[in-house]
Amino acid sequence: MEFPERSLLLVDDETSVLNALKRVLRRMKCTVHTAESGKAGLAVLEEHPVDLVISDMRMPEMGGEEFLAIVAERWPDTERIVMSGYSDTQATIDAINKGKISRFMTKPWKDDEVLSVVAKGFELTELRQRADKLEAVKEQKTRELAQLNKTLEQKVEQRTQQLRDSHQSLQNSYRAVVRMFSSITARRMGQDSRYNQNLNKLLLLMADRLNITGADLKQLFYAWQLRNIGKLSFDDELLKPAYVDLNAEQQRRFQRHPVLANASMVLVKPLHAAGQIVLQHKEYLDGSGYPSGLTAEHISRGAQVLAVLNDFVELINGRYQPRPYSSEEALQFLREFEGLRYDPI
């Protein structure tokens, strides 16, 4: 990004002060404008872009606080600094409140201080201009992305209609995506489709007993289907052993899978709520879970339900403890941690 040469305006009713400050500022690569009154200063601002104003407080016709208040209103991006030899408390307060000054310097001044204050003022101006340019670029990219998304949405709608025509059992393309990734994940985890269907029935049975219906049930079902999608990038050394057999570093890597799954699911708007359930489904009521160590009041009801069923399945599959548990052993394990890890739902 390139920016124009910096400029500043000195306003003081004493010509000697203006000349002395101009000599000090020769070291700065900037344009220096001067004005011997507030009205003259406003005229300069009307004609020239100015990055920074240094104004005296006590001047005839228009005081510094009044002048800076007008500058703050009409040229809010211009940095405003007061330099005065008078210790007028009320005028200083007015300058701060109405003129919104960023710095107050006293006369007589120190040359190094003036140079430092001006340099910092220019830095702030440049940072603000950079931010404005970046914001403009961001807005442009947002508009371009919106147009791209609009085009993609049209293509998705066309594809969805094709899927409806050829697969009556699919209500929309999002359900197809969920089923596809659920199938891929199941194969990576070594599960066959029939086994997965039985687990789906178990989830629906739990939901029915807990009176979870409608949109909540749909999001819980999506979360159940995609809870392991974050493990797709893991190698066998993380997937094959039971969790408790992993070393500390492996467990740390393994514990990222809810975050990875959520990051994938939030890319699809209809899966946002399901992604939040997946993100929390390994959190426990007592704060001993992962990835964030949340406690009961911060864990959604859907995630608490999913935690119970997921841990039951991992216990009987041998994914958690060194050996597979029987169904009764798994239930006993869950009962032992009832109220600690699991909601007694």
Side-chain angles (χ1 to χ4, degrees), residues 42-180:
L42 295 177
V44 171
L45 289 168
E46 292 279 4
E47 297 294 330
H48 304 282
V50 172
D51 299 308
L52 186 150
V53 171
I54 300 178
S55 175
D56 189 19
M57 287 291 289
R58 293 192 178 184
M59 297 181 292
E61 296 183 2
M62 180 184 294
E65 67 277 8
E66 182 182 354
F67 166 68
L68 291 170
I70 296 174
V71 175
E73 180 180 357
R74 296 180 60 186
W75 296 278
D77 291 337
T78 298
E79 290 292 315
R80 297 168 294 282
I81 298 171
V82 163
M83 176 180 284
S84 177
Y86 299 92
S87 56
D88 188 334
T89 303
Q90 186 57 49
T92 302
I93 292 173
D94 289 343
I96 293 173
N97 292 336
K98 298 177 182 179
K100 300 180 177 64
I101 65 171
S102 59
R103 187 68 182 266
F104 185 91
M105 294 188 294
T106 59
K107 298 176 183 177
W109 62 82
K110 294 181 179 179
D111 292 354
D112 288 344
E113 180 185 7
V114 172
L115 294 172
S116 175
V117 169
V118 170
K120 289 180 180 178
F122 286 160
E123 287 177 6
L124 289 174
T125 298
E126 183 169 330
L127 287 173
R128 183 167 53 248
Q129 291 177 349
R130 286 180 182 274
D132 291 343
K133 285 183 176 291
L134 288 173
E135 184 62 27
V137 171
K138 176 184 174 183
E139 291 178 359
Q140 176 63 26
K141 294 300 182 183
T142 299
R143 289 192 293 269
E144 293 175 358
L145 182 59
Q147 183 58 44
L148 177 60
N149 285 339
K150 183 178 180 180
T151 302
L152 290 175
E153 287 172 0
Q154 292 173 348
K155 292 182 179 180
V156 168
E157 181 59 31
Q158 294 172 358
R159 180 57 178 161
T160 299
Q161 188 59 49
Q162 294 172 0
L163 289 172
R164 287 196 185 107
D165 295 340
S166 59
H167 304 283
Q168 293 299 317
S169 62
L170 297 179
Q171 295 183 6
N172 51 56
S173 63
Y174 297 113
R175 181 173 297 179
V177 170
V178 170
R179 289 184 176 179
M180 178 182 69

Side-chain angles (χ1 to χ4, degrees), residues 224-238:
W224 167 253
Q225 292 274 301
L226 300 176
R227 70 192 186 282
N228 289 320
I229 194 173
K231 300 175 184 177
L232 285 176
S233 62
F234 290 173
D235 51 31
D236 286 350
E237 74 171 12
L238 290 183

